Amino acid sequence: QGIRVDAVASYSRAIPHWNLDQQTQAQFATHDGSIWIFSSSQALDHLAKLLPHQSWHLAKALATHERIAQSAKQLGFGVVHTSRPVMSDMLASLEYL
């Protein structure tokens, strides 16, 4: 048709690269009452790789799907709650946790 098309990368999933401070913050958040929010099982896979020897039994998670919640439980999260990925539902779940 004579039009020009440009390809643009708009989204990509990859394991993050943490510096020492970020790693320390993440380790602290496993037992300080923080609530981890997950909308992807892949994020949990990455977390397991980033902190391979971390104990998660004191950590709390909010997952936006039952399959993601199951991944959090398998990683060892002590408290896992599932919520629909709707802001009002997630806020209500955070109050519950």
Side-chain angles (χ1 to χ4, degrees), residues 14-20 22-23 50:
I15 191 166
H17 300 283
W18 285 348
N19 62 34
L20 183 58
Q22 292 168 315
Q23 183 175 1
L50 289 164

Side-chain angles (χ1 to χ4, degrees), residues 21-87:
D21 185 51
Q22 292 168 315
Q23 183 175 1
T24 300
Q25 287 178 15
Q27 289 171 322
F28 189 66
T30 65
H31 61 275
D32 71 349
S34 294
I35 300 170
W36 296 72
I37 300 175
F38 297 102
S39 61
S40 161
S41 293
Q42 187 178 36
L44 284 149
D45 293 341
H46 290 166
L47 193 57
K49 290 175 184 169
L50 289 164
L51 298 173
H53 304 292
Q54 184 64 50
S55 172
W56 296 96
H57 73 279
L58 296 176
K60 300 176 184 179
L62 176 61
T64 59
H65 190 279
E66 186 56 43
R67 183 176 58 247
I68 300 166
Q70 188 59 38
S71 293
K73 290 173 186 174
Q74 288 175 346
L75 185 57
F77 273 79
V79 175
V80 180
H81 190 74
T82 305
S83 171
R84 292 184 326 135
V86 176
M87 186 60 70

